[in-house]
Each structure stands twice: as C-alpha cells, then as structure tokens.
Amino acid sequence: SLSRAPYDLDELDLAWLDSVNQKRKFKVLAGSSGLSEGLLQQSITLLERKCYQNMMHAVRTDESLRIEYDDSIVCDVCRDPESEESNEMLFCDMCNICVHQACYGVIVIPDGSWLCKPCSIHQMNPVCVLCPNRSGALKRLKPSPGWSHVSCALWIPEVKVGNAERMEPVTNIEGIPTSRWNLLCCVCKKKE
C-alpha cells in the first residue's frame, strides 16, 4: 500500500523553489507571498500518490505495460535511437539531454538521478566553443576554460578527447588551424 508519509524536500527541491520564487519576485512584491515549502511538499506528495494509483491501476488491468519506442529520441552524440543492455540511453534529470553511456563516457549508471556534466555543476546553458548550437551533450575543455559538444570534438580531426572511456576532457582546441574556423560545418550547416 501507498505510504502516507509526505514527500521529503531535498536540497535540489529547495534550490528549485528559491529559483521559482526569485523569478516570481515581481509578483511577490505585489502582495503574493510566493510559493512555500509546505505547498511544494503537498503538491509533490499528491502527484506521487496519483502516479502510484495510476501505476497500480495499470498493473491490475494490464494497461500501458507495453514498452513503447520513440524513434525521434536519439543520442545527442551519435544520433542513434537504439540502446543495448550494456550501453543504455540516459536522460539528464535537469536538461533532459539524451546520450548513450559509451557516447558520453558514463561507465556506471548511478542509482537514482543522473546529471550531465554541465548540470552536475549547475552550469546552465553553456556554449560550445566549436559551434553555434546552444544545447547538446557537452564536456569540459582542457586546459582552456569552456565547453565542447562531444560530437564536435569527434568530428574535428585536430581536437582530441583525453580519456576515450570517459569521453573527457576535450583537448587540443588550439591545434585547429585558423582556416578551419572559417568553414561551414558539415554537420549543422552553420558557421559562426
């Protein structure tokens, strides 16, 4: 049976709540007190209970137990929608980027939530130094600061990946000839 214990807010929940209240600050100044921890806790508790009830109904009635595949969901690095038992597709729990374990260098899938590198250090909307695309599977550069898409690092011959198993850090950006920076990208068809 479903536990009656309320949802226990953690640090990530409280950070999200603070962020939402900061964005709503103009409304708070106009008389609203913002969203409280209690309201968030009650809301998540109700959502979890409803989800649990829906899952139990599906199990009892054999509804929605078939696995559905969505070919539009692809790995951001290799663009393949297929996964294997030893190379699962992972979705970042913050930005929802989808990658294969091997493509992004995730050796062991963690229990619970998984965050991509930028989200794991709260780096929101990092920019790839190699292309104009603003989202995607990014890894840190070394020794210079910044980020690179894993796919950009693999497509540009001068760029290297320091540890192929972990797919990081991205190195040798300075080895890219000046002439290459002026070319049109054959992947995204853009030039910045």
Side-chain angles (χ1 to χ4, degrees):
S1 86
L2 179 61
S3 168
R4 294 286 175 204
Y7 178 82
D8 189 23
L9 297 178
D10 63 14
E11 290 179 23
L12 189 59
D13 296 320
L14 296 174
W16 179 85
L17 183 62
D18 184 53
S19 173
V20 167
N21 282 332
Q22 288 297 323
K23 289 177 185 173
R24 294 174 38 113
K25 200 173 221 174
F26 68 94
K27 292 181 181 178
V28 172
L29 294 175
S32 170
S33 61
L35 298 175
S36 69
E37 290 180 21
L39 179 60
L40 179 61
Q41 189 171 25
Q42 285 177 326
S43 300
I44 294 175
T45 299
L46 289 172
L47 288 170
E48 284 188 336
R49 287 183 180 155
K50 185 62 178 168
C51 181
Y52 178 83
Q53 291 167 355
N54 290 344
M55 288 186 332
M56 291 298 98
H57 173 74
V59 168
R60 280 191 307 273
T61 61
D62 197 31
E63 291 178 13
S64 304
L65 295 180
R66 292 165 296 283
I67 297 174
E68 297 180 22
Y69 294 97
D70 185 346
D71 286 341
S72 68
I73 297 173
V74 297
C75 172
D76 189 70
V77 178
C78 71
R79 312 305 297 164
D80 186 358
E82 302 295 323
S83 66
E84 302 167 356
E85 190 173 317
S86 61
N87 190 20
E88 296 290 333
M89 300 274 270
L90 300 173
F91 290 85
C92 175
D93 288 328
M94 276 184 109
C95 71
N96 208 33
I97 192 70
C98 176
V99 293
H100 286 111
Q101 277 180 266
C103 292
Y104 200 70
V106 180
I107 297 167
V108 176
I109 299 175
D111 291 332
S113 65
W114 175 77
L115 299 175
C116 67
K117 288 297 180 176
C119 290
S120 71
I121 61 167
H122 305 289
Q123 178 73 45
M124 300 305 148
N125 304 315
V127 177
C128 177
V129 299
L130 300 172
C131 81
N133 290 329
R134 299 289 180 226
S135 63
L138 294 130
K139 291 286 188 142
R140 277 245 191 239
L141 299 179
K142 191 175 181 183
S144 58
W147 298 87
S148 167
H149 289 111
V150 175
S151 54
C152 290
L154 296 173
W155 274 89
I156 299 173
E158 295 83 6
V159 177
K160 308 289 183 233
V161 175
N163 180 325
E165 188 176 25
R166 295 200 178 272
M167 295 305 289
E168 64 184 335
V170 176
T171 64
N172 204 36
I173 300 295
E174 65 282 354
I176 300 172
T178 307
S179 60
R180 187 176 301 282
W181 290 102
N182 296 320
L183 298 175
L184 185 69
C185 176
C186 66
V187 177
C188 67
K189 309 293 186 226
K190 295 179 184 176
K191 179 171 96 170
E192 187 167 286

